[in-house]
Amino acid sequence: MENRFDEKDSKVRSDSFSSCSEVVAEKVQRNENEMGQDSGKVYCLLNHSLTENQLAELQEKYGAGEVVYPDERLAATWSQVPVTPVLDRGVIQAVTGWLSAAKEGDVLVVQGEFGSTFMIVDYALGRGLVPLHAVTRRIALEHREGEKILRQYVFEHVCFRRYERFPDAACSRC
């Protein structure tokens, strides 16, 4: 087979790439089929509640039923992940403990501090959950107060997008 990528010691053969891609595509299709059953839960790990438009999209596109929010303590912890050179595993363990009740095919809407979000998304993918993030349009509004220019940002929901693994990375877990 012809190489898709060939540079010094790095070689990815198209036959291994396509077989891994097929496995990933099969898993995605299975999850999408299961999501249309109107019985899944949505676990929401954001720093705000879902808007009515977001709830409607989750119901229409992902068959979402009940929305599960973390308790106040976990929500507060997630909104203020410690800013240290090493990620606080206690935060991750608290979130994964909360998600332990989630079933394969349940949706997880998650955004937050990047390193923590990455670990939670990896956990969710490994458990067969469907992690999503909100795609937003940012609108900047400016106005003057004397010599000051004040800028305010309005975030408008566009849609939800699935977090996905890069196909090569998925091969280790196929």
Side-chain angles (χ1 to χ4, degrees), residues 97-132:
W98 173 66
L99 289 172
S100 65
K103 296 180 181 159
E104 187 171 345
D106 281 347
V107 172
L108 170 63
V109 179
V110 58
Q111 287 181 211
E113 189 275 330
F114 187 77
S116 299
T117 299
F118 175 83
M119 291 188 81
I120 295 302
V121 168
D122 188 54
Y123 169 84
L125 289 169
R127 292 249 345 265
L129 304 179
V130 181
L132 305 175

Side-chain angles (χ1 to χ4, degrees), residues 7 39 50 57 59 64 71 80 96 112 129 135-136 152-153 172:
E7 186 174 309
S39 61
L50 294 166
E57 180 183 350
Q59 290 169 343
D71 62 37
Q80 292 296 318
T96 58
L129 304 179
V135 176
T136 59
Q152 177 182 18
Y153 291 102
S172 66

